[in-house]
Amino acid sequence: MSQMNKIITILFSSALFLLSCHQEKKNEKTTDNQHISVQQEESAATYKVQTLIAMEELADSAFVNLREVSDSFQYDMRYATANNFLGKKVYDCDNCWLRARTVRALIKANRDFIKNGYQIQFYDCFRPRAVQYKMWEVMPDGRYVANPKSGSIHNRGDAVDITLVNISTKEELKMGTDFDYFGKEAHYEYDQLADQVQENRRLLRTIMEKHGFKGIRTEWWHFSYIGEVYPISNQALCNE
């Protein structure tokens, strides 16, 4: 082999080596970016305020505004709008108040959803008893609205109405019906739905049950935290 050919061969080999190194670094960078993206989503489930220890030490029955302690959730608080079965706004603000034990469980559940590419979106959290009376006037059916005389778990701060949204697109997963649809199609066991819809409902319920929640038969969106039943509360929805 001539000296020139040797030089060309060496240069060509070096070029291939450098290209290979560049591609490996590019792949590493892509993997790192994906890892960072996951970390960012997971870190969204940490507290906004620097009171993690204080939050953990709160009494289970203490009320917490979820919006003030975590950035990891989405909200479509229907009763703070006219887009609900009452046809009018009945909340003065769209805060999400819940008992501390329920907040802790929701943050853990949401971390699991995030690993699957989704986030919890809230329709309703704590609900004042006065609103429960208004709901009962419109829908006096215990399958869908709790009788205000005995009160709902919502009135006690341990129930949520939720769905899931895709983290990337922010679109709601298809669940077969809208929130507060009063019909058999909203029942969890209704099976005349697309396979993907049924899978979405199963995913929602499976992870929620894993973290201490219980669903109900007639509403795919409703989950109550299992534990001591606290008294009905008049906790204010809006910050003064």
Side-chain angles (χ1 to χ4, degrees):
M1 180 182 295
S2 68
Q3 186 67 21
M4 180 59 70
N5 286 339
K6 288 182 179 180
I7 293 172
I8 291 173
T9 300
I10 292 171
L11 289 174
F12 181 70
S13 298
S14 298
L16 288 177
F17 176 75
L18 291 173
L19 180 61
S20 175
C21 290
H22 175 73
Q23 185 61 42
E24 287 180 5
K25 288 181 179 179
K26 182 178 180 181
N27 291 339
E28 289 175 1
K29 185 176 181 181
T30 300
T31 302
D32 288 343
N33 286 341
Q34 290 173 343
H35 183 61
I36 290 170
S37 178
V38 171
Q39 285 183 327
Q40 287 173 339
E41 293 297 348
E42 290 180 346
S43 69
T46 60
Y47 298 103
K48 290 164 62 175
V49 291
Q50 297 177 351
T51 54
L52 178 59
I53 295 177
M55 176 68 193
E56 290 298 325
E57 291 180 349
L58 277 177
D60 285 351
S61 60
F63 268 97
V64 176
N65 183 357
L66 186 57
R67 283 186 177 275
E68 294 182 353
V69 298
S70 176
D71 282 318
S72 65
F73 301 95
Q74 300 293 323
Y75 299 88
D76 180 15
M77 303 294 281
R78 293 291 184 88
Y79 303 121
T81 74
N83 182 21
N84 57 64
F85 78 97
L86 297 167
K88 60 183 178 180
K89 178 179 177 179
V90 290
Y91 291 172
D92 292 331
C93 61
D94 61 356
N95 286 332
C96 178
W97 288 93
L98 293 163
R99 302 285 184 174
R101 66 179 183 181
T102 300
V103 168
R104 296 188 197 106
L106 283 165
I107 289 173
K108 292 175 182 177
N110 204 39
R111 284 174 179 157
D112 278 357
F113 286 124
I114 287 171
K115 292 175 184 176
N116 286 276
Y118 309 115
Q119 286 176 300
I120 291 174
Q121 175 174 284
F122 290 93
Y123 293 126
D124 197 22
C125 301
F126 166 72
R127 180 189 306 154
R129 193 179 197 176
V131 175
Q132 197 71 30
Y133 275 102
K134 293 178 181 178
M135 290 182 174
W136 186 253
E137 290 175 4
V138 175
M139 178 59 67
D141 186 334
R143 293 177 301 170
Y144 304 108
V145 176
N147 190 319
K149 290 183 179 180
S150 56
S152 165
I153 301 299
H154 278 290
N155 307 145
R156 294 170 163 81
D158 275 321
V160 292
D161 294 332
I162 61 174
T163 190
L164 296 175
V165 298
N166 184 295
I167 289 175
S168 299
T169 66
K170 302 306 179 186
E171 293 180 352
E172 295 181 15
L173 271 63
K174 296 184 183 301
M175 294 292 183
T177 73
D178 193 6
F179 165 63
D180 269 356
Y181 178 88
F182 303 127
K184 61 183 181 180
E185 292 83 0
H187 293 195
Y188 177 73
E189 295 179 351
Y190 184 75
D191 59 5
Q192 303 303 306
L193 298 166
D195 290 344
Q196 187 59 58
V197 170
Q198 295 184 63
E199 180 59 32
N200 293 343
R201 289 187 180 187
R202 280 193 293 270
L203 174 65
L204 179 61
R205 180 166 290 207
T206 298
I207 291 181
M208 291 299 288
E209 288 180 346
K210 172 185 172 182
H211 291 282
F213 291 89
K214 182 179 180 180
I216 60 175
R217 182 181 65 84
T218 55
E219 298 175 352
W220 58 259
W221 56 81
H222 178 96
F223 295 91
S224 297
Y225 189 78
I226 302 170
E228 178 185 352
V229 178
Y230 293 127
I232 293 173
S233 174
N234 290 318
Q235 166 71 35
L237 282 176
C238 305
N239 297 327
E240 295 181 358

